[in-house]
């Protein structure tokens, strides 16, 4: 990244976006863990993990924010780079953990048969980890060719996951209580839509988008996508768990 | 802001106000979350969010205070600016999150029908987020004209929210149990009155109020308005939730 091209306004906007990300993830974590006691025991693991995902993200937004502050010095209204690196790879460390977990959230809140829960968690979670692990070498690659190669490789598990969410889960969703079917579908589509941002952004450097405006778009965009995929998605999971708890109590 | 115009006394007064804000918000958070178990389950989400609002504000008062300390150096009774910027935009990051949430607190504690709760939360919360997002470009603008333009734009959702609180909620408030009707009205008016401070302060630089005394008035005023709108407002929400819990227990 050409950090030298950033204006003070862009630097500040990104810093504020990181701080916003940290605040959202931290607040979401506390919210999920407080609301955990309000769902039936069968859904508490799902809500615990929902909060874990945002807790892990809060930690990484803190790391990202500190790394960002260290890479720049602002003095008397002028901005310059310090030469310290901005470690964007913290995002990959975060995703390696949180992306499999948030797919597992969705599987757990559906309360499928035990065998199906385990196999779906392993397959979807494994594909998600593979997708992130294959993106990382591309992110740190020196050449555009290597970046593009790993983009292609990473897209294979990505497409598998999208297929599973949109088509593979259809039967299981049909068996869910009627009052949450739409919400579960919504959660699956929220994952797919918010995830589309990542592979597109990944290609930015290949098409010459590297200046201050591009960096701002990427960092702010990642932050918004993360908030959608983790905090907003988590709220959907919580609402699903609450409605299912209610539904089962009425039936019992 | 002309930070150079501040006297040591003004610097200290503002520093103490920020520290006061942090202490109030932190204490309020713990209070709300401890009291959460004392209200009926139907009101626990409202009280959880009440504590989240003050927790998020506590985080931002810490950030604001650290940024403030970094912008000045005090030595042997003399004060000078360090050249580091005072990031006042943390306030906007805070409001973007907390202002929608505190309107949602009020809606949740009223325990309306599910559809009404969702639609009111989306409309009021969305308008609040829009109001803050439109204020930010004005706050960081270089020219008075831009500042004023965004003030006008931001006032549109502001007036919508005030109208909704004062007129739109009237019917719903009339259906509340009699022992909390006055308190809910009071909470709605507290929001409206404490919020009046923000758009007025926003115009200060346009009318030439920029020196040390103006900065002190703005920062201390924002802090007081924040405490009214979040901690004092939160206490009203808690009292409403406790009375309604009591009332429903008696009826049951």
């Amino acid at each position: 990244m050409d950090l030298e091209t950033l204006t003070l306004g862009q630097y500040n906007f990104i810093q504020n976006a990181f701080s916003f990300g940290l605040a959202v993830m931290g607040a979401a974590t506390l919210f999920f863990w407080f609301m955990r006691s309000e769902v039936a025991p069968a859904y508490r693991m799902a809500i615990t993990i929902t909060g874990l995902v945002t807790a892990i993200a809060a930690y990484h937004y803190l790391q990202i924010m500190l790394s960002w502050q260290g890479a720049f010095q602002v003095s008397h209204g002028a901005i310059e780079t310090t030469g310290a690196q901005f470690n964007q790879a913290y995002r990959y460390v975060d995703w390696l953990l949180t992306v499999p977990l948030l797919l597992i959230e969705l599987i757990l809140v559906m309360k499928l048969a035990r065998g199906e829960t385990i196999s779906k968690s392993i397959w979807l979670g494994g594909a998600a980890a593979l997708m992130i692990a294959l993106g990382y070498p591309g992110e740190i690659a020196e050449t555009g060719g290597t970046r593009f190669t790993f983009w292609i490789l990473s897209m294979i598990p990505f497409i598998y996951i999208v297929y599973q969410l949109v088509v593979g889960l259809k039967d299981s969703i049909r068996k869910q209580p009627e009052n949450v079917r739409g919400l579960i579908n919504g959660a699956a589509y929220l994952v797919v839509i918010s995830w589309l941002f990542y592979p597109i952004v990944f290609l930015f450097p290949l098409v010459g988008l590297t200046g201050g405006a591009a960096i701002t778009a990427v960092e702010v965009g990642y932050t918004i996508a993360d908030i959608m995929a983790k905090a907003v998605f988590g709220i959907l999971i919580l609402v699903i768990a609450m409605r299912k708890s209610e539904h089962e109590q009425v039936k019992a």
Side-chain angles (χ1 to χ4, degrees), chain A:
Chain A
M1 280 195 287
D2 306 331
L3 295 183
E4 300 75 21
T5 57
L6 256 88
T7 66
L8 179 57
Q10 289 167 339
Y11 164 78
N12 279 328
F13 192 58
I14 294 173
Q15 158 66 26
N16 292 332
F18 290 157
S19 183
F20 180 72
L22 170 55
V24 170
M25 297 300 183
T29 302
L30 291 164
F31 180 64
F32 297 139
W33 287 344
F34 272 117
M35 294 308 290
R36 186 179 169 279
S37 54
E38 311 303 312
V39 304
Y43 301 107
R44 295 214 178 127
M45 193 190 274
I47 304 306
T48 305
I49 293 178
T50 303
L52 277 184
V53 166
T54 48
I56 294 165
Y59 164 74
H60 286 110
Y61 270 95
L62 176 63
Q63 287 281 35
I64 289 169
M65 189 177 79
L66 295 176
S67 177
W68 181 251
Q69 290 171 353
F72 296 91
Q73 199 185 345
V74 177
S75 186
H76 300 285
I79 182 168
E80 50 187 37
T81 51
T82 58
Q85 70 174 340
F86 170 52
N87 184 1
Q88 202 183 12
Y90 282 128
R91 291 198 181 277
Y92 284 81
V93 185
D94 178 83
W95 296 334
L96 190 59
L97 266 166
T98 55
V99 174
L101 286 176
L102 62 86
L103 292 174
I104 292 170
E105 274 174 45
L106 183 65
I107 296 162
L108 284 176
V109 88
M110 291 175 74
K111 204 170 73 172
L112 309 169
R114 179 169 291 171
E116 208 183 346
T117 299
I118 295 173
S119 74
K120 280 206 193 307
S121 294
I122 290 174
W123 279 97
L124 281 175
L130 184 66
M131 170 179 83
I132 305 300
L134 287 170
Y136 181 75
E139 180 67 48
I140 60 165
E142 306 274 317
T143 69
T146 314
R147 192 176 183 91
F148 189 65
T149 305
F150 281 98
W151 182 82
I152 294 281
L153 291 174
S154 180
M155 283 307 278
I156 299 166
F158 179 89
I159 288 165
Y160 167 76
I161 296 168
V162 168
Y163 178 81
Q164 285 300 323
L165 289 176
V166 175
V167 181
L169 283 182
K170 266 216 149 54
D171 271 351
S172 310
I173 292 175
R174 208 171 300 130
K175 289 179 208 141
Q176 293 290 310
E178 211 196 314
N179 67 335
V180 295
R181 233 174 274 158
L183 282 170
I184 293 182
N185 246 322
Y189 279 102
L190 177 63
V191 168
V192 172
I193 290 166
S194 62
W195 284 16
L196 285 178
F197 186 78
Y198 303 93
I200 294 171
V201 161
F202 192 90
L203 294 175
F204 273 19
L206 292 181
V207 293
L209 288 167
T210 56
I215 293 171
T216 310
V218 168
E219 295 304 332
V220 174
Y222 271 150
T223 307
I224 294 170
D226 278 350
I227 289 172
M228 298 306 288
K230 295 181 170 97
V232 176
F233 176 76
I235 291 170
L236 281 181
I237 297 292
L238 176 66
V239 173
I240 293 165
M242 287 175 76
R243 292 218 182 151
K244 287 183 79 174
S245 304
E246 230 172 69
H247 179 78
E248 285 158 25
Q249 207 182 19
V250 171
K251 254 185 23 190

